[in-house]
Amino acid sequence: MDSRIAKSFYCFITLLLVFVIGGISIPNALHAQDNSSSYELLPAPDVWYNSVDGVRVGIRLRGQVPGTFGDGPHRLNTGLWLGTNFPDNPISYYLKYTEPIPAISDFGSEGSISAITSYRTGFQAHGLTFNKRWQTGFNELNYKELAIGVRGEHRFNEEYLLYQQLWQTQWLYLANAAFDYTDVNSLGRYLLSLSIDANIAGNADPFFRSEVIISQKADLSDQFSISGRLYSGFATDNTAPEYLFTHGFQSARSWMKSGLTRARGTIPPSWMQIGNIQVTGGPNLRGYLKNDIRSLNNGGMPLYTSISALNLELDYPNPLDQGLKKIPVIGGLIDLRSYLFWDSGTSLGLTSIEENNILSDAGLGFLLSINIPDYLGKSRGLVLRYDMPFWLSHPGAENAFKFRQVFGIGATISL
């Protein structure tokens, strides 16, 4: 073992001992002082994989006041890992600490401050966020939620990237705001989501970026329903590439939100390069995913500063889903949807990088979701899709009607 590996391993073991000893001693010490103010750290082993770190082993800790089930003061979610390939940065971590603000908090309508710091897979981000939620009565599905924050972030290692052209490597210092509002109207459940990011300091060019999503579901009968999603994204000309938009998948910055897409190799690169794996989000023109990936494979940058799209899905009866629903306990956690879909989108033409055509696709799809809601009723699980965009309005050298397939991570319309 060379000196670099030995030093990394020593640092990891030292930090690991701090985590484990802290997880044992802190709750006992606090409990001994005052049972009403006791605190517990709940450890769990964690193993993951990517091409650079190899098998990444570590520990996760969840901190909370006993009996609050993640809905109390002093909430902690943290993890520490070691990459067993011993790359340049073998030790990684994530930490989020949340403190409710009693003066603006009520049942289901908490106000809080969160501090987040992360250093993993060649990317670091550190920030503070103010969060406020307003819930309608005791129905956790109907709420408004506001988040306002600042953060600094930096892509410091490009080895973890499958497509390096989707990122730049300067520090960004961003102010951000997000607002979500979901409720039920005469048609059914609807969602309004707005997010804004602005780079306001540092050596990188200042930029502004926003996304607006409006979704609506309507039940046509006991067996049929239709869901629609209107998406618009706008960014200024000098926006960092990781925040720009593509036709078929989420902006590269959003890939960092999931362990499946955070680093090259967790999903085999050959699967991604074929163009059949979609990181759901953005305009979500699923039939044009392969065009985006083909451009990236050739060193291109299929990125746009403004784009708008409409996604429609018509759900129809699925006998297999009805059978799953009858299974005790498990049936309430599994959902298997079958639907027809249609997507259409184009550039808004507001900035210099534009899409000149209105692109459309249509086909048949299936969605499997395994959902264990959190204490606020929000989805917490896995969503997998299999879509077949049989028709494209602009197929290029291909036939407009052709068998195509897209395996999606995440739902197009989350209602």
Side-chain angles (χ1 to χ4, degrees):
M1 184 179 292
D2 63 31
S3 60
R4 180 177 61 85
I5 294 177
K7 183 178 180 181
S8 298
F9 187 73
Y10 173 77
C11 292
F12 175 77
I13 293 299
T14 302
L15 291 171
L16 184 61
L17 287 173
V18 171
F19 267 55
V20 173
I21 293 172
I24 296 173
S25 63
I26 292 176
N28 292 335
L30 290 174
H31 184 79
Q33 293 175 11
D34 182 357
N35 186 64
S36 65
S37 62
S38 62
Y39 194 75
E40 60 184 2
L41 290 174
L42 308 174
D46 190 66
V47 180
W48 205 246
Y49 175 82
N50 64 64
S51 297
V52 180
D53 293 323
V55 177
R56 194 188 71 175
V57 297
I59 186 173
R60 284 186 175 272
L61 287 175
R62 183 164 58 89
Q64 63 181 20
V65 174
T68 57
F69 304 103
D71 186 23
H74 324 314
R75 302 197 296 268
L76 178 68
N77 179 16
T78 185
L80 176 70
W81 302 275
L82 173 69
T84 57
N85 275 354
F86 295 100
D88 291 339
N89 309 104
I91 298 174
S92 55
Y93 74 87
Y94 169 84
L95 185 147
K96 179 179 181 181
Y97 178 80
T98 301
E99 191 64 44
I101 304 172
I104 58 171
S105 297
D106 201 352
F107 175 80
S109 299
E110 180 183 89
S112 65
I113 293 288
S114 295
I116 302 175
T117 178
S118 176
Y119 185 95
R120 57 185 174 185
T121 62
F123 180 75
Q124 60 179 315
H126 319 279
L128 288 171
T129 303
F130 166 77
N131 300 275
K132 179 66 181 98
R133 173 186 168 97
W134 297 268
Q135 179 176 305
T136 305
F138 294 95
N139 188 345
E140 68 273 6
L141 297 180
N142 300 336
Y143 65 89
K144 307 178 188 72
E145 202 163 59
L146 174 68
I148 301 173
V150 292
R151 68 181 183 274
E153 59 186 44
H154 178 219
R155 166 61 64 183
F156 60 87
N157 189 330
E158 295 182 290
E159 287 187 87
Y160 292 89
L161 301 177
L162 181 60
Y163 297 110
Q164 294 185 3
Q165 64 266 44
L166 293 179
W167 285 82
Q168 55 80 49
T169 56
Q170 296 191 70
W171 271 96
L172 300 179
Y173 299 94
L174 299 126
N176 61 280
F179 179 72
D180 292 328
Y181 179 24
T182 181
D183 210 321
V184 177
N185 56 22
S186 59
L187 295 176
R189 179 157 298 280
Y190 66 91
L191 167 69
L192 168 64
S193 181
L194 169 66
S195 65
I196 298 171
D197 292 280
N199 188 48
I200 56 176
N203 294 326
D205 291 333
F207 65 78
F208 175 88
R209 177 199 192 263
S210 66
E211 286 184 303
V212 179
I213 301 172
I214 301 173
S215 301
Q216 174 72 63
K217 181 178 181 180
D219 292 327
L220 304 178
S221 69
D222 292 339
Q223 300 292 325
F224 293 88
S225 64
I226 187 168
S227 300
R229 173 181 181 266
L230 180 63
Y231 173 92
S232 288
F234 169 77
T236 52
D237 281 336
N238 49 358
T239 297
E242 61 264 34
Y243 282 92
L244 293 176
F245 311 104
T246 67
H247 292 136
F249 56 82
Q250 278 199 45
S251 300
R253 176 60 178 88
S254 295
W255 291 34
M256 303 306 296
K257 298 177 182 179
S258 170
L260 291 172
T261 56
R262 191 173 290 132
R264 172 172 58 87
T266 304
I267 298 175
S270 59
W271 295 11
M272 301 291 291
Q273 291 166 336
I274 291 173
N276 289 340
I277 305 293
Q278 182 195 34
V279 185
T280 304
N284 201 70
L285 304 179
R286 61 201 100 183
Y288 294 88
L289 171 67
K290 185 163 289 189
N291 291 355
D292 288 344
I293 298 299
R294 186 181 297 120
S295 176
L296 290 171
N297 290 340
N298 293 329
M301 296 178 63
L303 303 174
Y304 301 91
T305 51
S306 60
I307 198 163
S308 188
L310 175 64
N311 312 113
L312 294 174
E313 293 182 353
L314 174 65
D315 283 63
Y316 58 88
N318 186 323
L320 183 56
D321 178 59
Q322 295 172 3
L324 290 173
K325 288 289 190 290
K326 296 178 181 178
I327 301 176
V329 182
I330 297 176
L333 305 177
I334 298 177
D335 189 25
L336 180 62
R337 291 176 49 210
S338 53
Y339 51 85
L340 302 173
F341 68 83
W342 179 76
D343 307 314
S344 186
T346 187
S347 168
L348 299 175
L350 300 177
T351 55
S352 61
I353 307 175
E354 299 180 9
E355 168 60 59
N356 295 322
N357 299 313
I358 298 178
L359 306 179
S360 300
D361 62 59
L364 173 69
F366 302 91
L367 179 147
L368 173 66
S369 66
I370 303 173
N371 177 33
I372 303 175
D374 65 11
Y375 68 95
L376 290 175
K378 294 184 178 181
S379 296
R380 184 178 57 180
L382 180 66
V383 177
L384 300 175
R385 287 188 1 264
Y386 179 62
D387 292 328
M388 293 170 282
F390 294 126
W391 173 80
L392 301 184
S393 63
H394 292 76
E398 299 180 344
N399 293 325
F401 289 94
K402 177 185 174 181
F403 175 75
R404 304 174 181 88
Q405 57 183 342
V406 173
F407 297 91
I409 303 170
T412 301
I413 304 172
S414 299
L415 287 173

